[in-house]
Structure formats: C-alpha cells, structure tokens
C-alpha cells in the first residue's frame, strides 16, 4: 500500500449528488476511482463500486435524490475508504426486514442492502420514516 499523509489532496472528501439515473453510474465510478487513488486492489475497487452502485440505485429509486460522500478513513492500524449515503426520502419502515435477502418493496431481487453489507467491512444504517436514511460503509485496505 502506498504511504498516505492526511495533507494529501487526494484524501479530500469527494461528494456525488444523486439526482438522476445516470448519477448512479457516476457515483460508482467515483468510488472506484477514489479507491484506486488510495491504493485498493482492482478487485476491491470493483467491490466498492458495486456497493456504492447499490446504495445510489436505492437512493434514486426510493428517495429520488441524495448525496454519496467518499473519504479516506483510519481506525487504529487500519486504513481505507468510508462511504456515506444520505437522503431525505421516505425512510425505511422496517430496517430488519430490508436487510433480509430477497426482500424488496420495489419489485427487485432484494439483494442490494444485504449484498452491500457482505461486500464491506463495516455497515451501519439509520433511517426514520418521513425523514430519510443514512448508511455508512467502510472497506479496509
């Protein structure tokens, strides 16, 4: 892994607004590129991009808009990427149910949130009906 300093300009938080269907792809590409800049392997870059694509797709489908933030993070001796997906949409009424494989309220396969959790090393979701949803994920390098 390359040596990184917190003063390094590539470690600045990058944000992608999700307001349109095409922004889902932009968010995934931005995540892949950010992961590459901070030294993730090609396989990990694609896992991160897939996770971000799932979050951005859900954001667009259910909330119609939101923000994905990408940042460098560290915890003890570990360093990696943190992604925060936040929207002010309808919220998730039953988080436990939403985290079950094959559960969907939108007619999809229902693998987005549980799949994202499996791809990442850290996953936290907060949601309030009528207020919105915030999901924080991390992948260690």
């Amino acid at each position: 892994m390359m040596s990184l300093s917190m003063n390094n300009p590539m470690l600045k938080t990058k944000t992608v607004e999700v307001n349109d269907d095409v922004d889902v792809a932009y968010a995934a590409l931005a995540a892949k590129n950010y992961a590459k800049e901070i030294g993730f392997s090609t396989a990990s870059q694609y896992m991160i991009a897939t996770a971000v694509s799932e979050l951005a797709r859900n954001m667009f489908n259910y909330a119609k808009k939101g923000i994905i933030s990408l940042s460098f993070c560290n915890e003890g001796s570990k360093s990696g990427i943190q992604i925060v997906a936040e929207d002010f949409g309808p919220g998730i009424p039953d988080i436990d149910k939403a985290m079950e494989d094959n559960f969907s309220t939108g007619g999809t396969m229902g693998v987005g949130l549980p799949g994202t959790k499996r791809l990442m090393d850290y996953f936290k979701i907060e949601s309030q009906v009528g207020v919105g949803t915030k999901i924080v994920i991390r992948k260690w390098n």
Side-chain angles (χ1 to χ4, degrees), residues 123-141:
F123 182 98
K124 181 178 179 186
I125 184 169
E126 298 172 350
S127 189
Q128 187 175 348
V129 174
V131 176
T133 301
K134 179 178 180 180
I135 298 173
V136 179
I137 58 176
R138 293 184 191 128
K139 185 76 172 168
W140 303 118
N141 198 354

Side-chain angles (χ1 to χ4, degrees), residues 79-127:
S79 64
I81 188 170
Q82 174 172 284
I83 296 112
V84 178
E86 190 165 17
D87 68 61
F88 301 99
I92 301 170
D94 188 341
I95 292 173
D96 290 337
K97 194 79 170 155
M99 292 304 299
E100 290 178 11
D101 281 321
N102 306 315
F103 175 78
S104 173
T105 59
T108 63
M109 292 172 46
V111 295
L113 289 177
T116 297
K117 184 176 182 179
R118 282 191 293 273
L119 287 170
M120 304 304 283
D121 297 318
Y122 174 89
F123 182 98
K124 181 178 179 186
I125 184 169
E126 298 172 350
S127 189

Side-chain angles (χ1 to χ4, degrees), residues 4-14 34 37-38:
L4 299 173
S5 143
M6 289 309 289
N7 295 325
N8 190 323
M10 77 176 165
L11 300 181
K12 301 272 188 235
T13 298
K14 173 150 180 70
Y34 196 94
E37 287 176 13
I38 61 175

Side-chain angles (χ1 to χ4, degrees), residues 14-108:
K14 173 150 180 70
T15 59
V16 178
E17 290 186 22
V18 177
N19 298 308
D20 195 299
D21 193 43
V22 73
D23 293 335
V24 173
Y26 287 139
L29 181 60
K32 182 198 171 298
N33 289 339
Y34 196 94
K36 182 178 181 179
E37 287 176 13
I38 61 175
F40 276 92
S41 69
T42 301
S44 290
Q45 292 169 37
Y46 282 101
M47 288 184 352
I48 292 164
T50 299
V52 169
S53 177
E54 292 291 347
L55 295 179
R57 171 66 50 206
N58 280 354
M59 183 182 289
F60 179 69
N61 285 347
Y62 296 102
K64 302 304 176 208
K65 62 182 178 175
I67 295 179
I68 304 273
S69 299
L70 312 166
S71 60
F72 177 81
C73 65
N74 57 18
E75 183 177 290
S77 63
K78 301 182 290 190
S79 64
I81 188 170
Q82 174 172 284
I83 296 112
V84 178
E86 190 165 17
D87 68 61
F88 301 99
I92 301 170
D94 188 341
I95 292 173
D96 290 337
K97 194 79 170 155
M99 292 304 299
E100 290 178 11
D101 281 321
N102 306 315
F103 175 78
S104 173
T105 59
T108 63

